[in-house]
Amino acid sequence: MIGCVFLPFVAGYYLSYLFRTINTLISGQLSADLGLDAGNLGLLTSVYFLVFAGVQIPIGTLLDRFGPRRVQSALLLVAGGGAALFGAANDFGELLVARAMIGIGVSAAAMSGLKAIVTWFPRERVALANGYMIMLGALGAVTATTPTEWLLECTGWRGLFGLLALATFASALLIFWAVPEAARPQVTQSTAVKLRTIYTDRRFWRIAPLSASCIGSAWSLQALWAASWLTNVEGLNRESSIRQLFIMALGISAGAMLLGTLADRLRRHGIRSEVLFAAVTVLFVGGELALILRLPLPSLLPWLIISIVGSATVVSYALLAEYFPRELTGRANAGLNVLHFGWCFIVQYGTGLILDQWAVQDGRYPTIAYQVAFACAVGVQVLALGWFMIPWICLLGRRIAKFFLGDPEAKTCPVEGSATSAEDGVLEPDDEEW
């Protein structure tokens, strides 16, 4: 399973992460060669996430119907063609089309690997396997820092994308020839019925806004705006900036392993993954506020927190695997990915538009521009966290009311309640009620 299922899909996910974050390093050369401003650069980078989000639902359906082997290998051929076109592009329009092709081509990289894990691995080990897959795939973000800088010195950004095209074609062939064909499930319900099952589930809409606003923002910052912040706000030179981006990329990989292991261990002790996800969110918001408020901390610390949260899909995907049966996991992950990448597009492109509202001073945007742009995303995350915690807040309110009023039936809000695990003190929403 590891050699013929796990590692081939890891290779595809690795390339997906590399394509996602590589514009951080080549953005300066693209701007210099083609005269791109912040708005165009934000659109060029974020169109990857826009098309990525747009094809998630049909790809989730294809994964459930035809299996990850066929879908992933076919789409990676599209990504390889997009990489080849990107390296040969001569204007902004061609770059935009090529970037969109890459986004479509790697749009199934994560979901196909997750689908393969759910299909071939025991359910109780899904969170841990997800963690290892994302950890190894996130090495693509590591490659998009110092190693890519070395390649750029030898090949330039055009030659680099030629090499990426060859690697992507090779990965497509590896998956097609190495991965065994999984048994195709019998179709017992229409696609519309299955999608309605997911999108009408209250548990899905409890986790989805929080997961999208946090993970999507982390991806956006890591993929583009971290480099601009480090250069324009922190005043780091290119060498120092790339070194810090390299450490942040390692944080994604380490964070995936850490969160996957934590989710697995906590699950064994009866603590559900929702609790871990809430704690990660609070830490994420704290890291962003430390940057925005310019607290006297080493900038690497909050940026490491942000990079680790980019791997929190380990937790949210594992939650969906608990909520839905195996034949629906492809669509469920796709539904969540639509929100992840849709919000990432909004944050990435919107940040560029907000920055353009300030005049460039000495070749850089002022600090206040970045602070305003980042604060807008934080506001949405705080609202999503409040929505996520409503059942727990209501439960706490009822307990307080019961304590002071002595009425076991006391209610403090109109939202349906949740059961608790009194033995371990962890608040656990009841599946039937949610």
Side-chain angles (χ1 to χ4, degrees), residues 335-346:
L336 189 58
N337 265 350
V338 168
L339 302 177
H340 283 161
F341 287 97
W343 181 250
C344 187
F345 166 78
I346 292 173

Side-chain angles (χ1 to χ4, degrees), residues 213-219 221 279-289 302 305-307 309-310 378 381:
S213 61
C214 292
I215 294 173
S217 295
W219 287 350
L221 296 175
V280 169
T281 300
V282 172
L283 189 63
F284 179 57
V285 172
E288 290 177 298
L289 289 177
I305 293 173
I306 290 172
S307 64
V309 173
V378 172
Q381 293 155 19

Side-chain angles (χ1 to χ4, degrees), residues 407-424:
D407 182 6
E409 302 299 326
K411 303 284 185 182
T412 59
C413 69
V415 181
E416 286 186 346
S418 304
T420 62
S421 176
E423 292 78 13
D424 56 26

Side-chain angles (χ1 to χ4, degrees), residues 379-403:
V380 176
Q381 293 155 19
V382 172
L383 292 175
L385 179 61
W387 168 255
F388 180 77
M389 297 186 68
I390 280 178
W392 295 346
I393 295 171
C394 289
L395 178 59
L396 179 61
R398 283 198 302 274
R399 286 186 169 182
I400 294 174
K402 178 180 178 181
F403 178 80

Side-chain angles (χ1 to χ4, degrees), residues 152-370:
L152 281 173
E153 295 177 357
C154 300
T155 65
W157 64 271
R158 295 185 183 278
L160 173 63
F161 271 85
L163 293 175
L164 288 176
L166 294 176
T168 306
F169 289 138
S171 179
L173 293 177
L174 173 65
I175 291 173
F176 185 80
W177 290 109
V179 177
E181 189 72 28
R184 293 169 62 180
Q186 296 181 352
V187 179
T188 58
Q189 292 178 309
S190 68
T191 298
V193 171
K194 291 180 178 180
L195 290 174
R196 187 164 61 249
T197 299
I198 296 166
Y199 289 119
T200 57
D201 192 292
R202 296 184 181 183
R203 297 168 300 177
F204 178 87
W205 287 112
R206 180 177 172 237
I207 184 68
L210 185 63
S211 184
S213 61
C214 292
I215 294 173
S217 295
W219 287 350
S220 172
L221 296 175
Q222 181 91 16
L224 181 61
W225 298 116
S228 297
W229 174 281
L230 294 174
T231 302
N232 297 341
V233 179
E234 301 291 341
L236 301 183
N237 58 30
R238 182 171 177 82
E239 181 180 355
S240 299
S241 177
I242 292 174
R243 185 184 307 114
Q244 185 151 324
L245 290 172
F246 177 79
I247 297 173
M248 289 166 57
L250 290 176
I252 300 176
S253 184
M257 182 176 64
L258 173 65
L259 293 177
T261 303
L262 272 176
D264 186 66
R265 296 283 179 86
L266 292 175
R267 193 176 188 274
R268 294 182 188 180
H269 290 84
I271 301 176
R272 297 181 59 160
S273 298
E274 288 94 337
V275 178
L276 175 61
F277 198 83
V280 169
T281 300
V282 172
L283 189 63
F284 179 57
V285 172
E288 290 177 298
L289 289 177
L291 289 176
I292 294 169
L293 299 176
R294 306 287 285 130
L295 297 182
L297 297 171
S299 65
L300 181 59
L301 179 59
W303 279 114
L304 265 179
I305 293 173
I306 290 172
S307 64
I308 289 173
V309 173
S311 63
T313 49
V314 171
V315 183
S316 53
Y317 290 147
L319 284 172
L320 293 185
E322 295 176 5
Y323 292 164
F324 300 103
R326 290 185 176 183
E327 62 269 18
L328 291 181
T329 53
R331 291 173 175 85
N333 289 335
L336 189 58
N337 265 350
V338 168
L339 302 177
H340 283 161
F341 287 97
W343 181 250
C344 187
F345 166 78
I346 292 173
V347 172
Q348 197 162 83
Y349 185 33
T351 298
L353 294 179
I354 292 174
L355 292 179
D356 280 337
Q357 303 309 306
W358 277 264
V360 176
Q361 303 173 1
D362 299 326
R364 62 184 62 184
Y365 292 96
T367 300
I368 185 62
Y370 289 94

